[in-house]
């Protein structure tokens, strides 16, 4: 069964991207007009109707390579530009932040509250542009319509799918380590105290019943933590108090070091669904062609002055990271995205995907090599 995982992934990762970019724009003392334009352009693209309609189709979650390619394209729909090393770092920060939120999610259904926290904050970023706010509101209504009626079992499947997607990524983030929510080895800290999930009893009590269902004895056991009853359930409506804090903007202080990452473990080169050639190569190419094709760029040449954002403390650090093959902790190949050539890129991707169909019934004796060639062709786009 394919679940609608992609909309939640893109909304939450997109939200984290906007948090980080907002922090870096302030750190670089970017003018208010430019900052506002960057936010409006990115949010307008992320929440465009064609893009969200494509995401809402039931389909499997694809590789980090595909996800980062599309997110790079979304980031570059604005006048802001990121070097490959900075984009690698930005992707690591986005993924680790969302992984932390999914990891500590009190119950599977609270994935929606995390998503709504992101959408509420994104709405604040663009509150002075009603047309963009309408894009966010319309997407929010679609998410409510599609996900609110799902049974708990499907939410559990969604959460499990996301955890599998994140399982090989253990990048250390300075903010997490400083706040003691991540260990030096890149693993997150699970708390043994605080409120339990809504609808759950506080652990520590054993009740014994007789064969007539009457309670006959009570005893207590040590829980190893300090748990409390849930405050109340968060609102799943378009507007309301979410209660859950996961998914809110943690970059509230303007410190450059807040975006520092460092490597603890590389991705396995043979992890299923990652960069290694596999049977999903055709589907990934089709996904890229559809998603990138749905993000239209105005044919009118841009007249705004573009500017570059650096996610490293200095330009020298960024140059060193790029020379070494990417940001610290990244094991991805660099993918160069031409932001102004979307239609051409989408056409090329569609042609590549078509080659799969032409040769689908022909026996292949070197399928692994063919996959290598196709993925290499993606790198050249």
């Amino acid at each position: 069964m394919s679940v609608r995982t992609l909309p939640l992934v893109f909304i939450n990762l997109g939200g984290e991207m906007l948090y980080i970019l907002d922090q870096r724009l302030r750190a670089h003392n970017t003018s208010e007009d430019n900052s506002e334009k960057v936010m409006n352009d990115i949010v307008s693209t992320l929440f465009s109707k064609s893009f969200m309609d494509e995401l809402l189709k039931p389909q499997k979650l694809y590789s980090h390579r595909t996800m980062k390619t599309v997110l790079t394209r979304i980031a570059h729909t604005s006048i802001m530009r990121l070097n490959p090393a900075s984009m690698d770092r930005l992707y690591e920060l986005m993924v680790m932040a969302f992984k932390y939120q999914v990891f500590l999610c009190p119950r599977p259904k609270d994935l929606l509250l995390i998503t709504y926290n992101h959408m509420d904050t994104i709405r604040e970023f663009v509150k002075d542009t009603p047309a963009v706010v309408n894009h966010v509101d319309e997407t929010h209504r679609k998410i409510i319509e599609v996900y609110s009626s799902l049974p708990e079992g499907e939410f559990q499947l969604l959460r499990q799918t996301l955890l599998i997607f994140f399982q090989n990524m253990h990048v250390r983030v300075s903010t997490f380590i400083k706040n003691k929510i991540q260990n030096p080895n890149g693993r997150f800290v699970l708390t043994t105290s605080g409120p339990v999930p809504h609808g759950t009893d506080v652990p520590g009590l054993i009740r014994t019943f007789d064969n007539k269902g009457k309670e006959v004895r009570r005893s207590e056991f040590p829980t190893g933590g300090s748990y409390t009853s849930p405050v109340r359930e968060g609102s799943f409506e378009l507007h309301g108090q979410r209660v859950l804090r996961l998914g809110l903007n943690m970059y509230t202080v303007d410190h450059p070091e807040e975006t520092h990452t460092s490597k603890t473990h590389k991705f396995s080169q043979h992890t299923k669904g990652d960069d290694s050639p596999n049977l999903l190569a055709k589907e990934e190419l089709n996904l890229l062609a559809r998603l990138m094709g749905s993000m239209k760029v105005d044919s009118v040449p841009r007249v705004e002055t573009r500017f570059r954002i650096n996610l490293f403390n200095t330009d020298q650090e960024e140059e060193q990271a790029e020379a070494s093959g990417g940001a610290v902790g990244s094991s991805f190949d660099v993918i160069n995205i031409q932001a102004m050539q979307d239609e051409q890129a989408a056409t090329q991707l569609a042609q590549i995907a078509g080659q799969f169909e032409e040769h689908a019934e022909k026996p292949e004796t070197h399928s692994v090599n063919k996959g290598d060639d196709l993925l290499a062709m993606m790198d050249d786009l």
Side-chain angles (χ1 to χ4, degrees):
M1 176 177 62
S2 296
V3 294
R4 292 180 174 90
T5 314
L6 281 175
L8 299 186
V9 173
F10 274 99
I11 290 173
N12 287 285
L13 290 182
E16 291 300 324
M17 176 170 66
L18 290 166
Y19 295 170
I20 298 164
L21 291 179
D22 174 67
Q23 186 265 334
R24 297 310 293 170
L25 289 168
R26 288 186 284 109
H28 283 248
N29 295 318
T30 307
S31 70
E32 185 175 342
D33 288 344
N34 280 342
S35 296
E36 182 177 341
K37 180 161 184 57
V38 168
M39 290 295 172
N40 285 335
D41 286 347
I42 293 177
V43 174
S44 180
T45 302
L46 179 63
F47 290 95
S48 66
K49 183 180 184 302
S50 58
F51 184 58
M52 279 298 158
D53 286 346
E54 188 63 46
L55 292 179
L56 282 166
K57 296 176 182 178
Q59 52 195 306
K60 294 181 179 179
L61 188 59
Y62 294 95
S63 70
H64 284 281
R65 176 192 289 269
T66 302
M67 300 297 299
K68 191 176 70 165
T69 300
V70 180
L71 287 165
T72 300
R73 170 62 187 88
I74 292 174
H76 286 171
T77 55
S78 70
I79 59 175
M80 173 205 66
R81 289 295 174 266
L82 291 163
N83 280 355
S86 283
M87 188 62 215
D88 284 343
R89 171 164 288 185
L90 176 60
Y91 184 78
E92 290 172 347
L93 289 165
M94 290 188 289
V95 171
M96 291 305 293
F98 188 33
K99 176 181 178 179
Y100 168 71
Q101 294 154 16
V102 176
F103 212 69
L104 270 66
C105 187
R107 56 178 183 164
K109 188 178 180 180
D110 288 337
L111 284 171
L112 286 183
L113 294 180
I114 294 173
T115 305
Y116 296 168
N117 272 336
H118 279 110
M119 299 186 77
D120 291 344
T121 310
I122 291 170
R123 194 180 285 109
E124 281 296 307
F125 282 143
V126 297
K127 63 182 179 181
D128 295 328
T129 311
V132 182
V133 173
N134 287 338
H135 283 314
V136 179
D137 287 345
E138 187 60 33
T139 299
H140 202 151
R141 293 187 184 96
K142 288 182 181 178
I143 296 297
I144 292 173
E145 178 184 350
V146 171
Y147 290 91
S148 293
S149 60
L150 292 183
E152 289 291 335
E154 290 207 35
F155 280 112
Q156 176 58 28
L157 180 58
L158 279 169
R159 185 172 184 269
Q160 183 181 17
T161 302
L162 290 171
L163 290 175
I164 293 172
F165 179 67
F166 297 137
Q167 66 180 344
N168 292 317
M169 201 164 188
H170 308 293
V171 180
R172 294 178 299 192
V173 180
S174 62
T175 303
F176 293 153
I177 294 177
K178 184 173 66 177
N179 293 331
K180 301 186 184 303
I181 59 178
Q182 188 181 33
N183 291 321
N185 63 359
R187 308 282 179 170
F188 288 117
V189 177
L190 287 175
T191 181
T192 57
S193 60
V196 297
H198 181 79
T200 306
D201 294 330
V202 176
L205 177 66
I206 301 174
R207 296 188 295 169
T208 306
F209 298 85
D210 60 17
N211 56 4
K212 295 182 180 180
K214 181 180 179 180
E215 183 178 330
V216 295
R217 186 170 64 254
R218 288 192 175 194
S219 60
E220 297 182 354
F221 65 91
T223 61
S226 178
Y227 297 99
T228 60
S229 299
V231 181
R232 63 184 184 279
E233 186 174 27
S235 171
F236 289 89
E237 302 301 322
L238 183 64
H239 301 285
Q241 178 56 251
R242 311 303 177 191
V243 180
L244 189 69
R245 305 291 297 174
L246 297 173
L248 296 179
N249 190 353
M250 65 179 178
Y251 300 98
T252 55
V253 181
D254 189 14
H255 290 310
E257 66 271 19
E258 297 297 339
T259 56
H260 176 72
T261 61
S262 59
K263 175 178 61 178
T264 56
H265 298 283
K266 285 189 175 182
F267 287 94
S268 169
Q269 295 300 317
H270 302 286
T271 301
K272 183 178 180 181
D274 207 343
D275 293 347
S276 56
N278 54 61
L279 296 177
L280 292 179
K282 174 185 170 182
E283 284 78 1
E284 290 199 19
L285 288 167
N286 284 331
L287 175 71
L288 274 172
R290 291 196 306 272
L291 294 186
M292 295 179 70
S294 68
M295 292 184 283
K296 300 296 183 184
V297 176
D298 295 337
S299 58
V300 179
R302 291 181 180 268
V303 296
E304 302 91 342
T305 301
R306 297 177 183 176
F307 62 93
R308 183 174 65 86
I309 288 293
N310 183 359
L311 266 75
F312 294 78
N313 293 333
T314 65
D315 288 344
Q316 184 179 6
E317 285 186 20
E318 185 181 47
E319 291 169 1
Q320 290 174 348
E322 188 171 359
S324 64
V328 179
S330 172
S331 63
F332 296 100
D333 296 330
V334 175
I335 302 176
N336 295 315
I337 299 300
Q338 298 285 338
M340 301 302 293
Q341 298 178 357
D342 281 356
E343 294 184 4
Q344 178 184 355
T347 301
Q348 290 175 321
L349 286 167
Q351 290 174 349
I352 296 170
Q355 293 176 9
F356 277 94
E357 297 178 355
E358 293 174 6
H359 302 288
E361 298 181 358
K362 295 182 180 180
E364 285 287 345
T365 57
H366 302 287
S367 58
V368 173
N369 292 333
K370 182 178 179 67
D372 285 333
D373 292 340
L374 287 166
L375 293 173
M377 291 173 71
M378 288 178 61
D379 289 342
D380 294 333
L381 296 180

